Amino acid sequence: MKILVLNGPNLNLLGEREPEIYGYTTLKDIENEILEYSKAFEGVEIDFFQSNHEGEIVDKIQAAKGVYDGIVINPAAYTHTSVAIADAIKAVNLPAVEIHLSNINSREDFRKKSITASSCIGQISGFGKNSYLAGLYCLIKYLEK
Ligand code: DQA
C-alpha cells in the first residue's frame, strides 16, 4: 500500500511559524514521526511532498493516480480557496483524508469553510501533529476494507 502525504503552503515553515498555533515541531520532525508510526502497519510505504504552489499540488495529485493508493493532505491555506485542488482529488478518484494541525472550526470565520474537504473521505482537525497520524490510520483502515 503506497500513501502520499501532501502538504500545502507555509507548512515548510512549521516550527518557526506562529508556534502558539502550530507548535515547535518542524515538518521534517512530523515526517519522521509519520514514518515511525507507519512501521506498525505491514507493507505501508509513504512518500512526502510539500509545495507553496497550487499548480504544483494539482500536478502532484494528478501524478498520484496509478502510483499511490491514497493521499493524506493538509492543503493549508488552499483548503479555504482551492477549487483546483478539490477538483484534482475528485479527478484522480483516490481516497484522500484532509488533515489540519489546528482546529479550523475554532479559528477565524474564513477558516471554517473547507472547499477541499468535500472531495475527501473525511477530515481530521485540531490534534497538532497527531492529526497526520490519525489521518494515516483512518486512510489505511479505509483501504484495508
Ligand atoms: C492549517 C489551517 C489553515 O487554515 C492554515 O492556512 C494553514 C494550516 C492547519 O494545519 O491547521 O496553513 O491547514
Side-chain angles (χ1 to χ4, degrees):
M1 187 186 296
K2 279 196 82 171
I3 291 170
L4 175 64
V5 176
L6 224 165
N7 280 293
N10 301 307
L11 293 171
N12 55 314
L13 296 182
L14 284 178
E16 56 183 271
R17 170 196 182 203
E18 298 181 272
E20 65 288 357
I21 296 173
Y22 299 115
Y24 288 94
T25 311
T26 65
L27 186 57
K28 195 83 219 146
D29 291 336
I30 292 176
E31 290 178 351
N32 285 335
E33 206 159 316
I34 293 169
L35 281 180
E36 209 40 53
Y37 181 67
S38 72
K39 289 181 186 160
F41 306 93
E42 219 181 293
V44 171
E45 273 179 62
I46 315 267
D47 284 335
F48 299 102
F49 182 77
Q50 188 276 330
S51 176
N52 293 325
H53 305 279
E54 186 176 23
E56 280 184 7
I57 296 169
V58 169
D59 286 346
K60 190 68 183 178
I61 293 168
Q62 289 187 10
K65 196 172 173 61
V67 178
Y68 295 99
D69 300 294
I71 300 172
V72 174
I73 183 166
N74 183 350
Y78 288 138
T79 304
H80 319 294
T81 63
S82 183
V83 175
I85 291 174
D87 283 352
I89 296 168
K90 276 209 176 115
V92 297
N93 203 22
L94 284 173
V97 177
E98 177 170 311
I99 77 97
H100 298 283
L101 292 148
S102 63
N103 181 357
I104 57 172
N105 295 300
S106 67
R107 299 182 62 192
E108 302 96 320
D109 279 348
F110 69 86
R111 292 188 205 275
K112 290 180 182 155
K113 170 84 188 148
S114 169
I115 289 180
T116 44
S118 61
S119 298
C120 297
I121 55 171
Q123 184 198 60
I124 294 161
S125 171
F127 297 98
K129 60 186 179 171
N130 287 330
S131 290
Y132 286 90
L133 306 185
L136 181 63
Y137 174 86
C138 293
L139 182 59
I140 291 169
K141 292 295 151 188
Y142 178 90
L143 288 166
E144 278 174 354
K145 271 198 299 189

